[in-house]
Amino acid sequence: MPVWLRDLGCETPQETVVNAFVGYASRIYRIPSKRADAAWKALVVHSRPPLCLRSGTIFPMEGKRWIVTLTGASRDYPPADDAGFLEFARSLRSQALYESIVAAEPLSAVHHYRRMENRLRHYERVARWPEGIAVVGDAVCGFNPVYGQGMTIAAIDAQLLDTHLREAAGKHAIGHAFQREVAAARRAAWTLSTGVDYRYDKTQGPKRAWHMRVMQRYMDHVVALAAERGDVYRRLLHVMHMLAPPFSLLAPDIATRIALRSMLGTTSR
Ligand SMILES: Cc1cc2nc3c(=O)[nH]c(=O)nc-3n(C[C@H](O)[C@H](O)[C@H](O)COP(=O)(O)OP(=O)(O)OC[C@H]3O[C@@H](n4cnc5c(N)ncnc54)[C@H](O)[C@@H]3O)c2cc1C
């Protein structure tokens, strides 16, 4: 689209890129018939920058299989070979993931992916917007995929486009106002995914405003609290998946617990 805009004699959009140099590797396993710890359905081991840049997940799939994903930030990428994959799993903050897969049967090779920067193109700031052009989805903004936001945002854009096309039918061509709504629709998701990525000290991107740094500190506590309390984790997932607005994490019951943790200097496990 930037090339097409340039060819039309328009200004190309400014770009904001936030890159935490994250990479992940995934492998499918058969769920062992006898499991040491069968109490959980899915397992998430968080990173804790700056002490640990590594995280991992196990999610069940159809056909009695697990998809196991290991993630590293600041170029601390998980290896794609058998031994390296297991060694990386062993180095996580909890041994639960390693212990679950060490004797499990792998059903696939290890596949890895490393292009995980957040990239936002500011089409809403292009001064002379050619009417009749609409940019949606990843063409506007690609998120670090580990947060699982891109498909939801693309679907929200599709709904916005539908509304605009119905309203514009026969009256005017779709234009700049649409791009402003598309920009607003991804603001919270962008703040969340870049806010989490900025927790890593090698992350490259524009200097953050003070309120972003405060929010990041707050989010560190939310993530730590979520590891201890199912209700907080559920609310964090609702925000991550755009079912609830980010300010729902400022609800008094969460904010009070976090204030208490800060005062007592409680660290996350
Ligand atoms: C490794 C990885 C993991 C991800 N995991 C998740 C996840 O777990 N959850 C989640 O929500 N999101 C995830 N995402 C993000 C998600 O895939 C994207 O946000 C989403 O697919 C964007 O949809 P889109 O329609 O905008 O773009 P795309 O899905 O990329 O579709 C664009 C289409 O346009 C076609 N195209 C391109 N140029 C032209 C052209 N000139 N002419 C005609 N056709 C063209 C392309 O071939 C493509 O089919 C992940 C992304 C990656 C890379």
Side-chain angles (χ1 to χ4, degrees), residues 2 35 43 49-50 68 76 96 98 130 149 160 176 199 216 223 230:
R35 286 173 50 192
L43 182 73
V68 178
D76 182 18
Y98 171 75
Q149 296 171 309
L160 279 176
H176 210 216
R199 290 158 71 228
Q216 188 186 318
V223 171

Side-chain angles (χ1 to χ4, degrees), residues 202-259:
K202 293 206 174 71
T203 298
Q204 289 177 0
K207 204 170 174 328
R208 279 157 303 154
W210 65 269
H211 64 274
M212 277 289 287
R213 288 199 296 272
V214 172
M215 193 208 79
Q216 188 186 318
R217 189 82 199 93
Y218 185 83
M219 283 304 291
D220 282 349
H221 282 292
V222 173
V223 171
L225 195 61
E228 292 159 17
R229 299 193 54 105
D231 59 327
V232 177
Y233 190 52
R234 204 163 293 119
R235 262 192 276 176
L236 176 63
L237 286 182
H238 273 83
V239 171
M240 301 278 310
H241 297 299
M242 285 160 273
L243 296 168
F247 61 74
S248 63
L249 295 173
L250 296 170
D253 60 325
I254 299 185
T256 325
R257 285 197 207 114
I258 287 178

Side-chain angles (χ1 to χ4, degrees), residues 1 24 96 134 162 172-173 177 189 215 222 234 261:
M1 182 55 74
Y24 69 70
D162 181 60
H172 56 84
M215 193 208 79
V222 173
R234 204 163 293 119
R261 288 173 70 90

Side-chain angles (χ1 to χ4, degrees), residues 19 30 51 77 191:
N19 194 348
R30 190 186 309 284
L51 303 177
Y77 301 125
T191 304

Side-chain angles (χ1 to χ4, degrees), residues 50-219:
L51 303 177
C52 181
L53 307 175
R54 300 176 170 191
S55 57
T57 56
I58 300 182
F59 287 108
M61 295 170 73
E62 63 277 20
K64 298 196 171 97
R65 295 174 301 162
W66 274 334
I67 180 152
V68 178
T69 300
L70 302 176
T71 305
S74 304
R75 294 197 176 90
D76 182 18
Y77 301 125
D81 62 284
D82 291 12
F85 190 80
L86 277 178
E87 203 42 51
F88 194 95
R90 199 146 73 117
S91 70
L92 299 181
R93 289 167 59 215
S94 154
Q95 291 297 294
L97 192 146
Y98 171 75
E99 284 163 8
S100 300
I101 62 169
V102 65
E105 179 195 352
L107 297 176
S108 77
V110 180
H111 296 278
H112 66 90
Y113 191 79
R114 292 182 181 172
R115 277 202 56 200
M116 315 261 280
E117 75 274 10
N118 303 277
R119 182 179 297 274
L120 176 60
R121 292 194 175 125
H122 300 278
Y123 290 104
E124 77 286 3
R125 296 184 195 159
V126 171
R128 201 174 56 78
W129 187 257
E131 286 206 335
I133 287 186
V135 194
V136 295
D138 272 21
V140 178
C141 175
F143 300 95
N144 178 345
V146 288
Y147 308 120
Q149 296 171 309
M151 286 192 277
T152 308
I153 289 291
I156 290 172
D157 285 350
Q159 281 182 331
L160 279 176
L161 186 59
D162 181 60
T163 309
H164 265 257
L165 288 174
R166 283 173 201 279
E167 284 169 3
K171 293 184 219 145
H172 56 84
I174 196 154
H176 210 216
F178 174 71
Q179 290 313 137
R180 281 199 298 274
E181 280 189 34
V182 160
R186 56 206 5 83
R187 208 159 283 142
W190 174 264
T191 304
L192 206 71
S193 93
T194 57
V196 181
D197 277 356
Y198 268 123
R199 290 158 71 228
Y200 303 102
D201 52 13
K202 293 206 174 71
T203 298
Q204 289 177 0
K207 204 170 174 328
R208 279 157 303 154
W210 65 269
H211 64 274
M212 277 289 287
R213 288 199 296 272
V214 172
M215 193 208 79
Q216 188 186 318
R217 189 82 199 93
Y218 185 83
M219 283 304 291

